[in-house]
Amino acid sequence: MPRGEPPRLTTMFPRVTAILVVQHGGDHLRRTLEALQAQRRTPDALVIVLTEADAGAREIIEGAGATHIVEHSQHLSFGEAVRAGERVIGEPSTDADALWLLSEDSAPEPEALAKLLATLETAKSVGIAGPKLMHWDAPDRIAVFGRSITRLGRSVPLVADELDQGQHDGLSDVLGLDPAAILVRHTVWRALDGFDPGLPSADDALDFSIRARLAGHRVAVVPDARVAFAGVGVAGLPVARRPRTVRRRERAARAAELHRRLVYAPAFAVPLHWLTLLPLALLRSIRLLLVKTPGAIPGELTAAIRTMFSGMRVARARRTLKSGRTSGWAVVSPLRMQHDEMRRRAQLAAEARRARARGRKHELQFLTTGGGWVLLTSAVASVALFSWLIGANGIGGGALLPLSSGVGELWRNASYGWRDLATGLVGAPDPFAGLLAVIGSLTFWAPSFGLVLLWIVALPAAAIGAWFAASRLTERGAVRAAAALIWAISPTFLTALGDGRPGAVIAHVLLGWLAFAVFGAATSWAAAAAASLLFAAVVAAAPSLAPALLIAWLVGLAVSGRAAARLAGLPIPAVVLAAPLVFEQFARGTPLAVLADPGTPVVSAVPSAWQLALGFPSAPPAAWNELVGAVASVDPRLVVAALLAPLALAALAAVLAPG
């Protein structure tokens, strides 16, 4: 033995079997194997489980001195891999025998196993002991240390990503642990049947710890046992910050939370929880959109659907929980994360976000993320569609009528006074008349020319408005461009342009800009003021949207925190403009007339249910019949079905295919 090196303890009692799960190999595996060989108290047996490992990983483990090597060609979760390795070592001889669960990216310091084992030996009630997991490349920073759940069942780390200054070394009993490098009594592992197969990646060790608590065992952390942890996804979820990895991590964490909710709930409450999974996912998706994290919405819905249709996993997990449980949930309650602590963490996180955002401007990156191409494409499309309007002084047809010949008359129509309706009356103005007055004033020399300009610029204005709204939600240029183009060619918009409905056209153009301003209102009073004016303009152009906009405003107030002060006045200009007309309509006994489309009434065919589902506000003309009839004598429905079949197959594959 080299001089100066502490003596190694090779006692055979209690017996410790290290189970090392390998997937990728490489430098992580080399460092972990070297750390195992450097342990002051070496494991009595080493079982290496290879899952989808390549030749390089096999070459690395050749000299590791493994007692057993278990190889699987297919991918196994960490819990399944440990279960496969545990099968080859036989029955535990005493209650003191232990399993050390390691992944290829968990390199323990020389004293780690000795410290963990000492906890099990000195405290017979401890069934599981966990180390302090440190950052792989920063040994002075804690990656994660202990885990708990909130009152609603969400998993939260007790300590995460902190500089280690010994401030948490007094921590002992915890509710749960992360799976990497935990030491568990072999008899406890057998009695609890290992990790729940319904939790393949997230909360596997947390659930196992909770079941151990309910079975009468303590779960403890050992601050002096330190393990370098890379978090590549072998044990637990990957910790990389790439957007795709973050979305995958959030989806898995949410699915694990919903699975545990069904497993832990009383039997009578399980059907109720199951029925509320999808409605709650829809409500949470709305909230995610309002807080500008739309990338998490697919994961939220996927987690709910997969949990609802997870087969017998929930029933199997409930049977396992019931078979090992000897205590009530009262033993878990004191170790849950308290509401005051969660509120304190939320405040600290909000302060950190504000500190990062202070002095920093929102970068739109208009040209570098495709905004210029969206503008060019939509402008070319607008010219191609409405080139015949260039040089015209006015436009008519459908709901379009020439505007008043003078600006003064336009503004008189927008104020209280005489109305040329039926036999004539004195009444309140329609707020839409104010919009027409603004449009006509832009081309004061020929007010009707303002509508011509509106029709020419509507397509690019709608596209760019949607692009700016998408820029508040994502930095990916492809997503921004797709949102802009889809919004610009939506059936409702094109139908409004074709039917000559100025109110619907104005509302569609302004909705994207309204969303952009509302998202910016969280940090800017100027954006809040602009949003209130756009809100009023949209309601004036399409009063039927007012109920939906008010509901969205109320939801936004509920989830915006301190920004609610800026959003509180959003509907005030719309209320002020519409109040005289609303009062007048209620006095006449026609309150629903307030929601009627402004302008000249236009008759349109009533669409069928499937046409409404496709976004058509009215029954479209039989264009497919004319097109197909001119080419061949084939049922047009067959042609449309054949053209839509690839889209349907792609949508089905997106739901069913993994990833």
Side-chain angles (χ1 to χ4, degrees), residues 201-218:
S201 55
D203 294 354
D204 46 3
L206 170 65
D207 170 76
F208 183 74
S209 301
I210 292 174
R211 287 189 283 124
R213 281 275 177 187
L214 294 173
H217 305 285
R218 289 170 54 204

Side-chain angles (χ1 to χ4, degrees), residues 2-17:
R3 182 175 300 176
E5 183 176 329
R8 297 185 179 180
L9 303 180
T10 57
T11 176
M12 299 299 292
F13 182 84
R15 181 177 176 83
V16 177
T17 301

Side-chain angles (χ1 to χ4, degrees), residues 262-276:
L262 294 178
V263 173
Y264 299 162
F268 71 88
V270 173
L272 179 61
H273 281 303
W274 189 88
L275 290 173
T276 59

Side-chain angles (χ1 to χ4, degrees), residues 207-239:
D207 170 76
F208 183 74
S209 301
I210 292 174
R211 287 189 283 124
R213 281 275 177 187
L214 294 173
H217 305 285
R218 289 170 54 204
V219 179
V221 288
V222 185
D224 293 336
R226 296 158 57 96
V227 175
F229 182 57
V232 299
V234 179
L237 295 171
V239 297

Side-chain angles (χ1 to χ4, degrees), residues 6-68:
R8 297 185 179 180
L9 303 180
T10 57
T11 176
M12 299 299 292
F13 182 84
R15 181 177 176 83
V16 177
T17 301
I19 301 179
L20 175 62
V21 180
V22 177
Q23 288 184 3
H24 311 294
D27 292 337
H28 287 154
L29 177 58
R30 292 189 183 91
R31 179 173 168 183
T32 298
L33 290 174
E34 292 172 358
L36 275 175
Q37 294 171 357
Q39 288 299 297
R40 177 171 173 265
R41 201 296 190 187
T42 57
D44 301 290
L46 173 61
V47 179
I48 298 179
V49 183
L50 298 171
T51 68
E52 288 186 317
D54 55 16
R58 297 188 191 94
E59 182 179 349
I60 294 173
I61 67 171
E62 284 181 356
T67 310
H68 299 85

Side-chain angles (χ1 to χ4, degrees), residues 378-414:
S378 58
V380 170
S382 180
V383 171
L385 289 173
F386 302 112
S387 58
W388 53 277
L389 287 177
I390 297 177
N393 292 324
I395 184 174
L400 283 169
L401 293 176
L403 298 182
S404 301
S405 57
V407 174
E409 187 176 353
L410 281 175
W411 286 103
R412 282 194 297 273
N413 292 335

Side-chain angles (χ1 to χ4, degrees), residues 166-248:
Q167 69 272 34
H168 300 292
D169 286 357
L171 193 61
S172 176
D173 276 31
V174 295
L175 179 59
L177 299 166
D178 283 80
I182 64 174
L183 187 68
V184 54
R185 295 186 189 273
H186 197 172
T187 53
V188 173
W189 177 268
R190 284 285 180 94
L192 299 179
D193 197 23
F195 290 168
D196 182 358
L199 298 171
S201 55
D203 294 354
D204 46 3
L206 170 65
D207 170 76
F208 183 74
S209 301
I210 292 174
R211 287 189 283 124
R213 281 275 177 187
L214 294 173
H217 305 285
R218 289 170 54 204
V219 179
V221 288
V222 185
D224 293 336
R226 296 158 57 96
V227 175
F229 182 57
V232 299
V234 179
L237 295 171
V239 297
R241 298 184 181 274
R242 295 187 299 271
R244 183 175 181 180
T245 304
V246 171
R247 290 193 295 270
R248 173 185 163 195

